[in-house]
Amino acid sequence: MASGVNAATQTPGIAGHYRLQAREIVSRLSLAPDNTFDAMIEYAGAEGSAKGRWKLVDNTLTLTSDAVEPPAENLLFNLRRTHSLADLKDAHQPDGGDRFKQAQSNYVLNLRYARSSPVPSIAPVMVSFEFTQGPATQLLWNNAVGRQLYLPYSEQRTLTRVGLQSSADQPQQWFAIAPQTRTLTLNWKVDRTTGQMTYDKPDELGLMQSQQFFRNAPKALAQIDRNYILTLLYGVTAEPPAIKPVDIYWSFDDGSQTSQRWTDSRQQQLLMPAPVGKTLKKLGVQLSNEQSPQWFEIAADSRAIDLMWDERVNPAQMRDLSGVFKTIELEVKGDCLAVDLGNGLACYRQ
């Protein structure tokens, strides 16, 4: 009958004083029976402290800081890539897919927070590739960072499916692959309740789409003519900070201009109806504390734009580690509260 709501009261032993056992990091954590916590951390001459609340759901302990951070107003923007309608069209779907349909009548601005969540340590994963003929190929994915696996391509021996197996006692998870696919991007994460890795269905691109996608990545672009490329990415995004409003300007080739306001950092997409007879030429972003926009030139065939953003680093904030405890998850493993603070998996112990 134990549920996530009352799990904390059913584990009275979790409250107490803990010390982190990790190389080069000094940290203490106090969990009070009333579900409040107090924590401090020191690393490389920097330090931080926080107070807040904790909750235990199954074997995951979540700390949430009480500190209220002011909205960020100094942001950095970077144009990552643009996509034409041809790039967005999914050849596997008769209607072209949701992204294609959305971009047929709109310009789509994807706003991506540039920071990623800490990647957890994983056991080696066996990745199996099966083909239309000949034996299967197996490659070992043996680290926890986003990486790419390369596999020779042949017109006579095309890829039919990809399987992933985290351990010998776990079943292999298979994904069917279309004949024309040349690159696959697969997101993975770790299920906190079972400890097992889970995978999303890969995004697939044909040769021309792959060449367009990797046009700013010379290493991958040089490989795509004679290889399949499988990219494995940790599929958990970092929680973005709140922001002060940002004005987005859409400037067209006839000299006309329109604007929108981006107010919520969790809103990852803005749509601008595509006007008849006009082509988007530039995209501008203007912060509340700046007098003029920052402009990005947009290719004439673009219909979707990936704009990366991040909070501008304040030198004074670099010495403050309090943000570590803003929202952090620890896994309860016996007497160990396991966490990765960017220095490898470590334990808080009483």
Side-chain angles (χ1 to χ4, degrees):
M1 296 293 292
S3 69
V5 175
N6 60 17
T9 61
Q10 295 191 8
T11 315
I14 199 72
H17 301 282
Y18 294 81
R19 185 179 181 87
L20 184 68
Q21 297 178 341
R23 183 182 54 177
E24 301 178 356
I25 299 178
V26 175
S27 182
R28 291 188 292 274
L29 171 64
S30 295
L31 302 176
D34 65 354
N35 290 88
T36 60
F37 80 86
D38 191 316
M40 64 76 61
I41 185 171
E42 296 178 356
Y43 174 69
E47 60 184 33
S49 60
K51 298 178 182 291
R53 301 195 62 79
W54 65 268
K55 67 177 180 179
L56 183 65
V57 178
D58 297 320
N59 65 337
T60 300
L61 177 70
T62 303
L63 308 180
T64 304
S65 172
D66 288 339
V68 177
E69 298 182 9
E73 64 176 343
N74 291 316
L75 304 180
L76 294 171
F77 290 90
N78 178 46
L79 180 63
R80 185 178 182 184
R81 63 171 62 93
T82 62
H83 311 265
S84 66
L85 281 174
D87 297 333
L88 298 169
K89 189 171 185 178
D90 187 344
H92 309 192
Q93 300 186 40
D95 60 2
D98 292 339
R99 294 195 307 167
F100 176 76
K101 289 189 294 182
Q102 185 183 49
Q104 277 188 306
S105 55
N106 295 282
Y107 284 102
V108 182
L109 176 61
N110 299 308
L111 295 148
R112 308 298 191 204
Y113 185 41
R115 300 191 192 186
S116 57
S117 294
V119 181
S121 299
I122 62 169
V125 175
M126 187 61 70
V127 186
S128 301
F129 302 86
E130 290 191 352
F131 301 86
T132 50
Q133 58 178 298
T137 298
Q138 291 187 320
L139 297 175
L140 189 65
W141 172 36
N142 59 5
N143 60 46
V145 298
R147 62 169 299 180
Q148 291 177 335
L149 300 178
Y150 296 89
L151 202 67
Y153 168 78
S154 168
E155 291 183 357
Q156 291 73 38
R157 187 172 179 262
T158 56
L159 188 63
T160 58
R161 65 175 187 163
V162 174
L164 300 103
Q165 187 175 29
S166 303
S167 61
D169 60 344
Q170 294 294 321
Q172 209 159 16
Q173 184 172 351
W174 288 97
F175 295 99
I177 305 301
Q180 66 269 31
T181 294
R182 293 294 290 276
T183 65
L184 305 92
T185 302
L186 184 148
N187 289 327
W188 66 272
K189 56 188 175 182
V190 177
D191 188 318
R192 288 283 185 176
T193 59
T194 65
Q196 300 300 318
M197 293 182 67
T198 60
Y199 310 94
D200 294 337
K201 185 182 184 303
D203 289 329
E204 304 176 43
L205 297 176
L207 178 59
M208 292 184 63
Q209 289 176 311
S210 300
Q211 291 170 333
Q212 176 71 9
F213 183 83
F214 288 121
R215 65 187 183 277
N216 295 319
K219 179 182 177 182
L221 190 60
Q223 294 285 342
I224 191 58
D225 285 340
R226 58 185 184 277
N227 289 281
Y228 291 102
I229 301 179
L230 171 60
T231 304
L232 298 134
L233 300 174
Y234 183 49
V236 178
T237 58
E239 182 69 23
I243 59 169
K244 288 193 174 181
V246 176
D247 289 319
I248 307 294
Y249 294 93
W250 307 79
S251 179
F252 297 92
D253 57 355
D254 67 346
S256 63
Q257 183 174 289
T258 187
S259 66
Q260 290 174 299
R261 177 156 285 196
W262 180 45
T263 59
D264 186 352
S265 62
R266 292 168 297 179
Q267 182 182 2
Q268 298 183 348
Q269 194 175 82
L270 291 177
L271 300 180
M272 172 58 63
V276 177
K278 299 181 184 181
T279 301
L280 183 65
K281 185 176 181 180
K282 294 191 299 181
L283 183 81
V285 292
Q286 184 174 0
L287 308 179
S288 59
N289 61 341
E290 293 184 349
Q291 294 184 348
S292 59
Q294 176 186 1
W295 290 100
F296 299 96
E297 296 289 335
I298 305 300
D301 64 347
S302 301
R303 292 306 283 265
I305 303 150
D306 294 344
L307 197 65
M308 306 297 293
W309 69 275
D310 199 354
E311 188 173 4
R312 194 184 303 270
V313 175
N314 182 332
Q317 292 177 337
M318 293 179 65
R319 311 300 298 174
D320 183 5
L321 301 181
S322 304
V324 168
F325 302 105
K326 179 181 177 182
T327 301
I328 186 172
E329 292 184 346
L330 305 92
E331 186 175 2
V332 180
K333 296 183 175 181
D335 65 344
C336 167
L337 304 182
V339 65
D340 189 343
L341 296 177
N343 203 28
L345 199 65
C347 283
Y348 279 97
R349 298 187 190 274
Q350 285 185 312

